[in-house]
Amino acid sequence: MKHLIDIKDFTTEEIDDILLLAENIIEHPDDYSEVCRRKKLATLFFEPSTRTRLSFEAAMLELGGSVLGFSEAQSSSASKGESVSDTVKTVSCYADIIAMRHPKEGAPLLASQRSCVPIINAGDGGHNHPTQTLTDLLTLKRELGKLSGLTIGLCGDLKFGRTVHSLVSAMCNYEDIKLIFISPEELSLPAYVKSELAKHQNVSWRESGSMEEELPSLDAIYMTRVQRERFFNEEDYLRLKDSFILDMEKVGLMKEDAIIMHPLPRVNEISVKVDDDKRACYFRQVSNGKYVRMALIKTLLEVQ
Ligand code: NCD
C-alpha cells in the first residue's frame, strides 16, 4: 500500500506517470468516469481549505466514487480529545482512501503508520503540501512545455509556506533548474530545505531581496501569501505582510512568455489587475489541481 506524505515518497518516474495520467484524463474524461465506482474518499480537514478539499471531492466524484468527511476539527471527535491515530483507525473502516490536512507537522505521517488505507497529506502545518506540488508541476508542464531548464522565482513567505517546501523538493528531480528565493530575511527558506538543495548538483539557487531585479530573467514567478495563522504575534505579521506585491508595473518587467503562479488563496500579494494578463495562470492552476488529484487517487487505489 502506498501513501503520499512527502513528495519524495514518489520517484521522478512515478511523478511523471501521474502528470501523464492527469493529461490523459483532461483529454478523455469519459474514459475515467467509472473507475472508482463503489470506492469512497474521506476528507479529514482539521484546518481550513477551499481548493484542496473541494478539488479532492470533485476529483473522486468525477471518477465515479463517493466522498465523506469533515471540514473542521470542531465538528470531529478531535474536539473531544480524540487522537489523530484513533480518528484514522476509525475512518479507515469507512473509506478506501483518506486525504488529511492538519495544523501539526507530521500528523499525516503518523496517520499513515496507523491506517489500513492510503493516506494523502493535504497539507501539514508549515511543512509540506505534496498534492499542491503535483498541481504546480502539471501547471509548469502544460504552460511552459517542460520541467527541466527552468528559472523559477519563489516569492513571499518561504518560511511557513508549505507549498514552497514541497515544490523545491520536487524540482530537485529535474535537470538544469535555477531557483531564486525572494523574501524578507525573517521569512526565508528553512535550513532543512536548503540542506536538501545542497545535495543536488542539477539545481542552483540564491536568495534575493528584490523582485524588480529578478523578474526579467524568470520563466515563472511563484507568489505566496504571508501565512498569518503561523505567526507567533500579529505585529510581525502586519509588519511583513506587504513586503512583496506583484502589480502590473512589475509584471511589465517579466518575459512575454513567462508565467505567474500562486497556490491561492491570495490576500493582496498579487494585484487583481494582474488577473487579466495572459501570464497569470493561477486559476488554470486551480483547474489542474482537480485533474492531478484524479490521477493520484486512481494510482493509489490501483484501480483500472
Ligand atoms: C495553500 C496551503 O493550504 O498551504 N493553499 C492551497 O492548498 N492551495 C497555500 C496557502 O494557504 O497560502
Side-chain angles (χ1 to χ4, degrees), residues 214-243:
E214 309 302 341
L215 284 168
S217 71
L218 303 179
D219 297 307
I221 177 90
Y222 190 95
M223 295 297 296
T224 60
R225 98 189 143 90
V226 176
Q227 305 270 305
R228 182 181 208 156
E229 68 277 31
R230 309 208 195 281
F231 273 70
F232 292 110
N233 67 68
E234 183 74 1
E235 257 168 53
D236 285 349
Y237 168 73
L238 293 174
R239 184 168 51 79
L240 294 168
K241 73 180 176 63
D242 296 328
S243 303

PDB file of all heavy atoms in Angstrom, residues 214-243:
ATOM      1  N   GLU A 214      14.942  40.541 -10.239  1.00  0.00           N
ATOM      2  CA  GLU A 214      14.875  39.133 -10.653  1.00  0.00           C
ATOM      3  C   GLU A 214      13.850  38.860 -11.743  1.00  0.00           C
ATOM      4  O   GLU A 214      14.037  37.959 -12.565  1.00  0.00           O
ATOM      5  CB  GLU A 214      14.566  38.238  -9.446  1.00  0.00           C
ATOM      6  CG  GLU A 214      15.462  38.458  -8.230  1.00  0.00           C
ATOM      7  CD  GLU A 214      16.947  38.250  -8.522  1.00  0.00           C
ATOM      8  OE1 GLU A 214      17.279  37.609  -9.539  1.00  0.00           O
ATOM      9  OE2 GLU A 214      17.765  38.756  -7.730  1.00  0.00           O
ATOM     10  N   LEU A 215      12.756  39.626 -11.763  1.00  0.00           N
ATOM     11  CA  LEU A 215      11.646  39.304 -12.673  1.00  0.00           C
ATOM     12  C   LEU A 215      12.062  39.136 -14.141  1.00  0.00           C
ATOM     13  O   LEU A 215      11.585  38.205 -14.802  1.00  0.00           O
ATOM     14  CB  LEU A 215      10.528  40.350 -12.539  1.00  0.00           C
ATOM     15  CG  LEU A 215       9.665  40.194 -11.275  1.00  0.00           C
ATOM     16  CD1 LEU A 215       8.770  41.432 -11.071  1.00  0.00           C
ATOM     17  CD2 LEU A 215       8.807  38.926 -11.334  1.00  0.00           C
ATOM     18  N   PRO A 216      12.965  39.982 -14.687  1.00  0.00           N
ATOM     19  CA  PRO A 216      13.266  39.849 -16.120  1.00  0.00           C
ATOM     20  C   PRO A 216      13.850  38.500 -16.529  1.00  0.00           C
ATOM     21  O   PRO A 216      13.721  38.095 -17.683  1.00  0.00           O
ATOM     22  CB  PRO A 216      14.291  40.968 -16.368  1.00  0.00           C
ATOM     23  CG  PRO A 216      14.056  41.957 -15.270  1.00  0.00           C
ATOM     24  CD  PRO A 216      13.633  41.149 -14.082  1.00  0.00           C
ATOM     25  N   SER A 217      14.474  37.788 -15.600  1.00  0.00           N
ATOM     26  CA  SER A 217      15.133  36.535 -16.013  1.00  0.00           C
ATOM     27  C   SER A 217      14.279  35.285 -15.750  1.00  0.00           C
ATOM     28  O   SER A 217      14.685  34.171 -16.073  1.00  0.00           O
ATOM     29  CB  SER A 217      16.461  36.390 -15.263  1.00  0.00           C
ATOM     30  OG  SER A 217      16.182  36.107 -13.904  1.00  0.00           O
ATOM     31  N   LEU A 218      13.089  35.454 -15.157  1.00  0.00           N
ATOM     32  CA  LEU A 218      12.336  34.269 -14.722  1.00  0.00           C
ATOM     33  C   LEU A 218      11.445  33.659 -15.808  1.00  0.00           C
ATOM     34  O   LEU A 218      10.867  34.378 -16.615  1.00  0.00           O
ATOM     35  CB  LEU A 218      11.433  34.634 -13.535  1.00  0.00           C
ATOM     36  CG  LEU A 218      12.117  35.224 -12.293  1.00  0.00           C
ATOM     37  CD1 LEU A 218      11.083  35.556 -11.228  1.00  0.00           C
ATOM     38  CD2 LEU A 218      13.175  34.279 -11.750  1.00  0.00           C
ATOM     39  N   ASP A 219      11.318  32.324 -15.774  1.00  0.00           N
ATOM     40  CA  ASP A 219      10.304  31.644 -16.597  1.00  0.00           C
ATOM     41  C   ASP A 219       8.985  31.591 -15.843  1.00  0.00           C
ATOM     42  O   ASP A 219       7.915  31.543 -16.443  1.00  0.00           O
ATOM     43  CB  ASP A 219      10.750  30.206 -16.904  1.00  0.00           C
ATOM     44  CG  ASP A 219      12.032  30.180 -17.712  1.00  0.00           C
ATOM     45  OD1 ASP A 219      12.063  30.848 -18.763  1.00  0.00           O
ATOM     46  OD2 ASP A 219      13.008  29.532 -17.282  1.00  0.00           O
ATOM     47  N   ALA A 220       9.086  31.551 -14.499  1.00  0.00           N
ATOM     48  CA  ALA A 220       7.865  31.525 -13.675  1.00  0.00           C
ATOM     49  C   ALA A 220       8.140  32.253 -12.375  1.00  0.00           C
ATOM     50  O   ALA A 220       9.224  32.110 -11.801  1.00  0.00           O
ATOM     51  CB  ALA A 220       7.453  30.081 -13.380  1.00  0.00           C
ATOM     52  N   ILE A 221       7.153  33.015 -11.930  1.00  0.00           N
ATOM     53  CA  ILE A 221       7.217  33.564 -10.575  1.00  0.00           C
ATOM     54  C   ILE A 221       6.115  32.868  -9.779  1.00  0.00           C
ATOM     55  O   ILE A 221       4.967  32.798 -10.225  1.00  0.00           O
ATOM     56  CB  ILE A 221       7.075  35.104 -10.533  1.00  0.00           C
ATOM     57  CG1 ILE A 221       7.062  35.633  -9.085  1.00  0.00           C
ATOM     58  CG2 ILE A 221       5.814  35.623 -11.226  1.00  0.00           C
ATOM     59  CD1 ILE A 221       8.392  35.971  -8.550  1.00  0.00           C
ATOM     60  N   TYR A 222       6.495  32.314  -8.628  1.00  0.00           N
ATOM     61  CA  TYR A 222       5.550  31.576  -7.775  1.00  0.00           C
ATOM     62  C   TYR A 222       5.325  32.440  -6.538  1.00  0.00           C
ATOM     63  O   TYR A 222       6.175  32.524  -5.655  1.00  0.00           O
ATOM     64  CB  TYR A 222       6.171  30.223  -7.412  1.00  0.00           C
ATOM     65  CG  TYR A 222       5.241  29.244  -6.724  1.00  0.00           C
ATOM     66  CD1 TYR A 222       4.546  28.284  -7.459  1.00  0.00           C
ATOM     67  CD2 TYR A 222       5.070  29.262  -5.341  1.00  0.00           C
ATOM     68  CE1 TYR A 222       3.700  27.370  -6.830  1.00  0.00           C
ATOM     69  CE2 TYR A 222       4.222  28.346  -4.708  1.00  0.00           C
ATOM     70  CZ  TYR A 222       3.545  27.404  -5.464  1.00  0.00           C
ATOM     71  OH  TYR A 222       2.702  26.493  -4.848  1.00  0.00           O
ATOM     72  N   MET A 223       4.176  33.131  -6.512  1.00  0.00           N
ATOM     73  CA  MET A 223       3.867  34.040  -5.404  1.00  0.00           C
ATOM     74  C   MET A 223       3.187  33.254  -4.274  1.00  0.00           C
ATOM     75  O   MET A 223       2.466  32.290  -4.528  1.00  0.00           O
ATOM     76  CB  MET A 223       2.914  35.148  -5.875  1.00  0.00           C
ATOM     77  CG  MET A 223       3.498  36.094  -6.915  1.00  0.00           C
ATOM     78  SD  MET A 223       4.910  37.040  -6.321  1.00  0.00           S
ATOM     79  CE  MET A 223       4.171  38.031  -5.009  1.00  0.00           C
ATOM     80  N   THR A 224       3.405  33.696  -3.044  1.00  0.00           N
ATOM     81  CA  THR A 224       2.710  33.065  -1.900  1.00  0.00           C
ATOM     82  C   THR A 224       2.230  34.141  -0.944  1.00  0.00           C
ATOM     83  O   THR A 224       2.813  35.227  -0.872  1.00  0.00           O
ATOM     84  CB  THR A 224       3.641  32.116  -1.111  1.00  0.00           C
ATOM     85  OG1 THR A 224       4.750  32.867  -0.611  1.00  0.00           O
ATOM     86  CG2 THR A 224       4.145  30.976  -1.971  1.00  0.00           C
ATOM     87  N   ARG A 225       1.207  33.807  -0.187  1.00  0.00           N
ATOM     88  CA  ARG A 225       0.712  34.755   0.819  1.00  0.00           C
ATOM     89  C   ARG A 225       1.530  34.607   2.100  1.00  0.00           C
ATOM     90  O   ARG A 225       2.070  33.524   2.385  1.00  0.00           O
ATOM     91  CB  ARG A 225      -0.783  34.503   1.062  1.00  0.00           C
ATOM     92  CG  ARG A 225      -1.121  33.669   2.236  1.00  0.00           C
ATOM     93  CD  ARG A 225      -2.578  33.270   2.317  1.00  0.00           C
ATOM     94  NE  ARG A 225      -2.628  31.923   2.842  1.00  0.00           N
ATOM     95  CZ  ARG A 225      -2.704  31.620   4.143  1.00  0.00           C
ATOM     96  NH1 ARG A 225      -2.791  32.565   5.051  1.00  0.00           N
ATOM     97  NH2 ARG A 225      -2.688  30.361   4.541  1.00  0.00           N
ATOM     98  N   VAL A 226       1.608  35.682   2.886  1.00  0.00           N
ATOM     99  CA  VAL A 226       2.243  35.595   4.199  1.00  0.00           C
ATOM    100  C   VAL A 226       1.255  34.865   5.122  1.00  0.00           C
ATOM    101  O   VAL A 226       0.077  35.230   5.211  1.00  0.00           O
ATOM    102  CB  VAL A 226       2.636  37.004   4.709  1.00  0.00           C
ATOM    103  CG1 VAL A 226       3.202  36.928   6.116  1.00  0.00           C
ATOM    104  CG2 VAL A 226       3.658  37.615   3.746  1.00  0.00           C
ATOM    105  N   GLN A 227       1.739  33.792   5.751  1.00  0.00           N
ATOM    106  CA  GLN A 227       0.871  32.827   6.456  1.00  0.00           C
ATOM    107  C   GLN A 227       0.530  33.311   7.872  1.00  0.00           C
ATOM    108  O   GLN A 227       1.117  32.854   8.858  1.00  0.00           O
ATOM    109  CB  GLN A 227       1.581  31.475   6.534  1.00  0.00           C
ATOM    110  CG  GLN A 227       2.029  30.934   5.179  1.00  0.00           C
ATOM    111  CD  GLN A 227       0.986  30.084   4.511  1.00  0.00           C
ATOM    112  OE1 GLN A 227       0.507  29.122   5.086  1.00  0.00           O
ATOM    113  NE2 GLN A 227       0.623  30.434   3.288  1.00  0.00           N
ATOM    114  N   ARG A 228      -0.419  34.216   7.918  1.00  0.00           N
ATOM    115  CA  ARG A 228      -0.813  34.862   9.175  1.00  0.00           C
ATOM    116  C   ARG A 228      -0.994  33.876  10.348  1.00  0.00           C
ATOM    117  O   ARG A 228      -0.537  34.116  11.462  1.00  0.00           O
ATOM    118  CB  ARG A 228      -2.141  35.591   8.929  1.00  0.00           C
ATOM    119  CG  ARG A 228      -2.660  36.328  10.096  1.00  0.00           C
ATOM    120  CD  ARG A 228      -3.981  36.982   9.722  1.00  0.00           C
ATOM    121  NE  ARG A 228      -4.203  38.165  10.499  1.00  0.00           N
ATOM    122  CZ  ARG A 228      -4.976  39.175  10.120  1.00  0.00           C
ATOM    123  NH1 ARG A 228      -5.585  39.139   8.955  1.00  0.00           N
ATOM    124  NH2 ARG A 228      -5.133  40.222  10.891  1.00  0.00           N
ATOM    125  N   GLU A 229      -1.684  32.750  10.071  1.00  0.00           N
ATOM    126  CA  GLU A 229      -2.033  31.822  11.146  1.00  0.00           C
ATOM    127  C   GLU A 229      -0.830  31.119  11.759  1.00  0.00           C
ATOM    128  O   GLU A 229      -0.946  30.486  12.805  1.00  0.00           O
ATOM    129  CB  GLU A 229      -3.066  30.801  10.643  1.00  0.00           C
ATOM    130  CG  GLU A 229      -2.598  29.797   9.588  1.00  0.00           C
ATOM    131  CD  GLU A 229      -2.625  30.299   8.142  1.00  0.00           C
ATOM    132  OE1 GLU A 229      -2.438  31.502   7.903  1.00  0.00           O
ATOM    133  OE2 GLU A 229      -2.794  29.459   7.237  1.00  0.00           O
ATOM    134  N   ARG A 230       0.338  31.223  11.094  1.00  0.00           N
ATOM    135  CA  ARG A 230       1.513  30.536  11.638  1.00  0.00           C
ATOM    136  C   ARG A 230       2.471  31.493  12.359  1.00  0.00           C
ATOM    137  O   ARG A 230       3.529  31.103  12.824  1.00  0.00           O
ATOM    138  CB  ARG A 230       2.246  29.775  10.536  1.00  0.00           C
ATOM    139  CG  ARG A 230       1.313  28.879   9.743  1.00  0.00           C
ATOM    140  CD  ARG A 230       1.917  27.677   9.128  1.00  0.00           C
ATOM    141  NE  ARG A 230       0.997  27.116   8.125  1.00  0.00           N
ATOM    142  CZ  ARG A 230      -0.067  26.367   8.423  1.00  0.00           C
ATOM    143  NH1 ARG A 230      -0.358  26.063   9.670  1.00  0.00           N
ATOM    144  NH2 ARG A 230      -0.856  25.930   7.449  1.00  0.00           N
ATOM    145  N   PHE A 231       2.079  32.774  12.443  1.00  0.00           N
ATOM    146  CA  PHE A 231       2.923  33.745  13.150  1.00  0.00           C
ATOM    147  C   PHE A 231       2.675  33.673  14.648  1.00  0.00           C
ATOM    148  O   PHE A 231       1.573  33.384  15.096  1.00  0.00           O
ATOM    149  CB  PHE A 231       2.593  35.168  12.673  1.00  0.00           C
ATOM    150  CG  PHE A 231       3.378  35.564  11.462  1.00  0.00           C
ATOM    151  CD1 PHE A 231       3.132  34.979  10.239  1.00  0.00           C
ATOM    152  CD2 PHE A 231       4.372  36.526  11.557  1.00  0.00           C
ATOM    153  CE1 PHE A 231       3.855  35.332   9.115  1.00  0.00           C
ATOM    154  CE2 PHE A 231       5.103  36.883  10.436  1.00  0.00           C
ATOM    155  CZ  PHE A 231       4.843  36.295   9.216  1.00  0.00           C
ATOM    156  N   PHE A 232       3.728  33.965  15.421  1.00  0.00           N
ATOM    157  CA  PHE A 232       3.559  33.974  16.875  1.00  0.00           C
ATOM    158  C   PHE A 232       2.890  35.262  17.330  1.00  0.00           C
ATOM    159  O   PHE A 232       2.206  35.291  18.335  1.00  0.00           O
ATOM    160  CB  PHE A 232       4.897  33.769  17.588  1.00  0.00           C
ATOM    161  CG  PHE A 232       5.431  32.390  17.371  1.00  0.00           C
ATOM    162  CD1 PHE A 232       6.560  32.165  16.587  1.00  0.00           C
ATOM    163  CD2 PHE A 232       4.763  31.294  17.917  1.00  0.00           C
ATOM    164  CE1 PHE A 232       7.018  30.883  16.369  1.00  0.00           C
ATOM    165  CE2 PHE A 232       5.222  29.997  17.703  1.00  0.00           C
ATOM    166  CZ  PHE A 232       6.350  29.798  16.927  1.00  0.00           C
ATOM    167  N   ASN A 233       3.116  36.354  16.627  1.00  0.00           N
ATOM    168  CA  ASN A 233       2.401  37.581  17.018  1.00  0.00           C
ATOM    169  C   ASN A 233       1.959  38.390  15.801  1.00  0.00           C
ATOM    170  O   ASN A 233       2.609  38.396  14.753  1.00  0.00           O
ATOM    171  CB  ASN A 233       3.206  38.415  18.024  1.00  0.00           C
ATOM    172  CG  ASN A 233       4.445  38.981  17.397  1.00  0.00           C
ATOM    173  OD1 ASN A 233       4.356  39.844  16.536  1.00  0.00           O
ATOM    174  ND2 ASN A 233       5.610  38.482  17.807  1.00  0.00           N
ATOM    175  N   GLU A 234       0.832  39.064  15.991  1.00  0.00           N
ATOM    176  CA  GLU A 234       0.164  39.809  14.930  1.00  0.00           C
ATOM    177  C   GLU A 234       1.032  40.978  14.431  1.00  0.00           C
ATOM    178  O   GLU A 234       1.020  41.297  13.244  1.00  0.00           O
ATOM    179  CB  GLU A 234      -1.187  40.306  15.480  1.00  0.00           C
ATOM    180  CG  GLU A 234      -2.078  41.048  14.514  1.00  0.00           C
ATOM    181  CD  GLU A 234      -2.773  40.154  13.472  1.00  0.00           C
ATOM    182  OE1 GLU A 234      -2.600  38.919  13.489  1.00  0.00           O
ATOM    183  OE2 GLU A 234      -3.477  40.732  12.609  1.00  0.00           O
ATOM    184  N   GLU A 235       1.809  41.573  15.354  1.00  0.00           N
ATOM    185  CA  GLU A 235       2.655  42.719  14.973  1.00  0.00           C
ATOM    186  C   GLU A 235       3.631  42.348  13.846  1.00  0.00           C
ATOM    187  O   GLU A 235       3.795  43.087  12.888  1.00  0.00           O
ATOM    188  CB  GLU A 235       3.518  43.130  16.158  1.00  0.00           C
ATOM    189  CG  GLU A 235       3.055  44.362  16.872  1.00  0.00           C
ATOM    190  CD  GLU A 235       3.796  44.497  18.187  1.00  0.00           C
ATOM    191  OE1 GLU A 235       5.045  44.468  18.182  1.00  0.00           O
ATOM    192  OE2 GLU A 235       3.094  44.584  19.215  1.00  0.00           O
ATOM    193  N   ASP A 236       4.262  41.191  14.001  1.00  0.00           N
ATOM    194  CA  ASP A 236       5.221  40.757  12.978  1.00  0.00           C
ATOM    195  C   ASP A 236       4.498  40.534  11.653  1.00  0.00           C
ATOM    196  O   ASP A 236       4.997  40.892  10.585  1.00  0.00           O
ATOM    197  CB  ASP A 236       5.907  39.443  13.391  1.00  0.00           C
ATOM    198  CG  ASP A 236       6.941  39.670  14.472  1.00  0.00           C
ATOM    199  OD1 ASP A 236       7.264  40.845  14.738  1.00  0.00           O
ATOM    200  OD2 ASP A 236       7.401  38.677  15.066  1.00  0.00           O
ATOM    201  N   TYR A 237       3.314  39.934  11.729  1.00  0.00           N
ATOM    202  CA  TYR A 237       2.538  39.703  10.507  1.00  0.00           C
ATOM    203  C   TYR A 237       2.250  41.034   9.806  1.00  0.00           C
ATOM    204  O   TYR A 237       2.496  41.178   8.606  1.00  0.00           O
ATOM    205  CB  TYR A 237       1.231  38.960  10.820  1.00  0.00           C
ATOM    206  CG  TYR A 237       0.288  38.957   9.636  1.00  0.00           C
ATOM    207  CD1 TYR A 237       0.543  38.165   8.519  1.00  0.00           C
ATOM    208  CD2 TYR A 237      -0.841  39.786   9.613  1.00  0.00           C
ATOM    209  CE1 TYR A 237      -0.287  38.190   7.408  1.00  0.00           C
ATOM    210  CE2 TYR A 237      -1.682  39.808   8.508  1.00  0.00           C
ATOM    211  CZ  TYR A 237      -1.401  39.015   7.410  1.00  0.00           C
ATOM    212  OH  TYR A 237      -2.218  39.048   6.317  1.00  0.00           O
ATOM    213  N   LEU A 238       1.778  42.010  10.578  1.00  0.00           N
ATOM    214  CA  LEU A 238       1.411  43.299   9.982  1.00  0.00           C
ATOM    215  C   LEU A 238       2.632  43.991   9.375  1.00  0.00           C
ATOM    216  O   LEU A 238       2.544  44.608   8.312  1.00  0.00           O
ATOM    217  CB  LEU A 238       0.755  44.206  11.035  1.00  0.00           C
ATOM    218  CG  LEU A 238      -0.612  43.703  11.530  1.00  0.00           C
ATOM    219  CD1 LEU A 238      -1.137  44.554  12.684  1.00  0.00           C
ATOM    220  CD2 LEU A 238      -1.641  43.683  10.392  1.00  0.00           C
ATOM    221  N   ARG A 239       3.764  43.838   9.998  1.00  0.00           N
ATOM    222  CA  ARG A 239       4.986  44.474   9.508  1.00  0.00           C
ATOM    223  C   ARG A 239       5.473  43.822   8.203  1.00  0.00           C
ATOM    224  O   ARG A 239       6.014  44.484   7.323  1.00  0.00           O
ATOM    225  CB  ARG A 239       6.051  44.347  10.604  1.00  0.00           C
ATOM    226  CG  ARG A 239       7.378  45.036  10.336  1.00  0.00           C
ATOM    227  CD  ARG A 239       8.228  45.085  11.600  1.00  0.00           C
ATOM    228  NE  ARG A 239       8.363  43.793  12.243  1.00  0.00           N
ATOM    229  CZ  ARG A 239       9.197  42.830  11.845  1.00  0.00           C
ATOM    230  NH1 ARG A 239       9.972  43.033  10.803  1.00  0.00           N
ATOM    231  NH2 ARG A 239       9.266  41.675  12.480  1.00  0.00           N
ATOM    232  N   LEU A 240       5.224  42.504   8.062  1.00  0.00           N
ATOM    233  CA  LEU A 240       5.813  41.781   6.921  1.00  0.00           C
ATOM    234  C   LEU A 240       4.849  41.522   5.770  1.00  0.00           C
ATOM    235  O   LEU A 240       5.261  41.191   4.667  1.00  0.00           O
ATOM    236  CB  LEU A 240       6.379  40.439   7.397  1.00  0.00           C
ATOM    237  CG  LEU A 240       7.570  40.554   8.354  1.00  0.00           C
ATOM    238  CD1 LEU A 240       7.869  39.208   9.004  1.00  0.00           C
ATOM    239  CD2 LEU A 240       8.803  41.065   7.611  1.00  0.00           C
ATOM    240  N   LYS A 241       3.540  41.682   6.033  1.00  0.00           N
ATOM    241  CA  LYS A 241       2.548  41.164   5.070  1.00  0.00           C
ATOM    242  C   LYS A 241       2.606  41.811   3.679  1.00  0.00           C
ATOM    243  O   LYS A 241       2.282  41.153   2.702  1.00  0.00           O
ATOM    244  CB  LYS A 241       1.134  41.244   5.651  1.00  0.00           C
ATOM    245  CG  LYS A 241       0.543  42.637   5.725  1.00  0.00           C
ATOM    246  CD  LYS A 241      -0.857  42.557   6.329  1.00  0.00           C
ATOM    247  CE  LYS A 241      -1.513  43.881   6.551  1.00  0.00           C
ATOM    248  NZ  LYS A 241      -1.783  44.684   5.376  1.00  0.00           N
ATOM    249  N   ASP A 242       3.032  43.071   3.607  1.00  0.00           N
ATOM    250  CA  ASP A 242       3.034  43.720   2.289  1.00  0.00           C
ATOM    251  C   ASP A 242       4.439  43.869   1.699  1.00  0.00           C
ATOM    252  O   ASP A 242       4.677  44.740   0.863  1.00  0.00           O
ATOM    253  CB  ASP A 242       2.363  45.103   2.396  1.00  0.00           C
ATOM    254  CG  ASP A 242       0.893  44.964   2.772  1.00  0.00           C
ATOM    255  OD1 ASP A 242       0.267  43.963   2.373  1.00  0.00           O
ATOM    256  OD2 ASP A 242       0.379  45.849   3.479  1.00  0.00           O
ATOM    257  N   SER A 243       5.346  42.997   2.138  1.00  0.00           N
ATOM    258  CA  SER A 243       6.741  43.134   1.691  1.00  0.00           C
ATOM    259  C   SER A 243       6.879  43.025   0.169  1.00  0.00           C
ATOM    260  O   SER A 243       7.657  43.739  -0.446  1.00  0.00           O
ATOM    261  CB  SER A 243       7.618  42.053   2.314  1.00  0.00           C
ATOM    262  OG  SER A 243       7.552  42.104   3.709  1.00  0.00           O
TER     263      SER A 243
END
